[in-house]
Amino acid sequence: MIELARQYDRCGYRRVAVLLREAGWSVSDGRIERLWKREGLKVPHKQPKKGRLWLNDGSCVRLRPEHRNHVWSYDFVHCRPDDGKAFRTLNIIDEFSRKCLTIRVKRKLNSIDVIDALTELFILRGTPSYIRSDNGPEFVALAVRDWIAAVGAGKAYIEPGSPWENGYDESFNDRMRDELLNGDIF
């Protein structure tokens, strides 16, 4: 029984009882269950599938940009230069054209800085239909949410722990980190 449990590690006591009976042993499921428990054998639980937001073809179910100024996304990139004092960049991307609209760099960026950067862009480029962001404290702050609602843009927050829903911005952030931040010494 122990050898079969090692060989077929995804099988429980019932399957092992069937295999033993096929091998010529005269055993019942109840006896194998008792011996199984006595030996401390267990079948590892299957990991439950996580509810993902993508279809079978691998595409993500989310708001897709249809034209310029339809969906903007924004996120922070953190970097620590040689002096040890970290700085952050706020990157705002137009998802349709995949163009970086602005990059704000400061030692500390907060919700007021997010509103200032968006205000300048709204004046220059107009108001987008939706603004996508993660659930960071700077993006879900009450002041930011109220301000975005007041100017008439919709909010499209991504699910926590789902960076693939903000793929255009994450891709830009990775390229920026790879080509600029990791390539130069600040």
Side-chain angles (χ1 to χ4, degrees):
M1 182 183 75
I2 293 171
E3 184 58 37
L4 287 172
R6 279 193 202 122
Q7 187 177 356
Y8 301 101
D9 59 346
R10 292 295 314 155
C11 295
Y13 73 89
R14 287 188 180 107
R15 181 67 183 139
V16 170
V18 169
L19 292 171
L20 285 172
R21 282 193 290 271
E22 288 175 357
W25 291 82
S26 174
V27 292
S28 67
D29 286 353
R31 175 173 284 184
I32 296 300
E33 182 183 14
R34 282 191 305 276
L35 293 172
W36 187 271
K37 286 181 181 178
R38 187 186 310 162
E39 294 297 323
L41 298 172
K42 293 182 180 177
V43 177
H45 291 287
K46 283 187 176 180
Q47 293 293 324
K49 289 188 176 183
K50 294 183 179 180
R52 297 291 187 202
L53 294 175
W54 60 65
L55 300 173
N56 288 338
D57 63 354
S59 62
C60 187
V61 179
R62 61 178 169 83
L63 178 66
R64 303 238 185 237
E66 298 171 2
H67 52 80
R68 289 180 194 272
N69 287 347
H70 183 230
V71 180
W72 289 359
S73 61
Y74 59 111
D75 200 4
F76 287 119
V77 175
H78 304 271
C79 186
R80 186 171 303 279
D82 284 348
D83 66 357
K85 296 178 182 175
F87 66 87
R88 300 171 88 184
T89 65
L90 170 66
N91 302 329
I92 303 176
I93 310 292
D94 183 353
E95 288 191 3
F96 183 79
S97 64
R98 299 184 186 185
K99 181 178 179 182
C100 180
L101 304 176
T102 189
I103 299 175
R104 283 282 172 100
V105 181
K106 281 178 89 173
R107 293 276 183 202
K108 293 181 180 180
L109 288 166
N110 55 25
S111 59
I112 301 301
D113 296 316
V114 171
I115 292 173
D116 288 343
L118 289 173
T119 303
E120 288 179 13
L121 285 175
F122 286 6
I123 292 169
L124 292 173
R125 302 178 78 70
T127 304
S129 301
Y130 295 94
I131 298 176
R132 185 187 328 269
S133 70
D134 59 13
N135 296 295
E138 300 87 357
F139 303 136
V140 296
L142 190 59
V144 174
R145 288 187 297 176
D146 291 345
W147 184 83
I148 289 174
V151 297
K155 297 175 289 288
Y157 293 113
I158 66 171
E159 290 293 318
S162 304
W164 57 85
E165 291 184 39
N166 200 2
Y168 297 117
D169 200 44
E170 294 294 336
S171 174
F172 177 82
N173 292 346
D174 286 343
R175 282 191 314 241
M176 180 180 155
R177 180 175 299 285
D178 185 46
E179 296 173 10
L180 175 70
L181 299 177
N182 291 343
D184 292 320
I185 297 175
F186 293 98

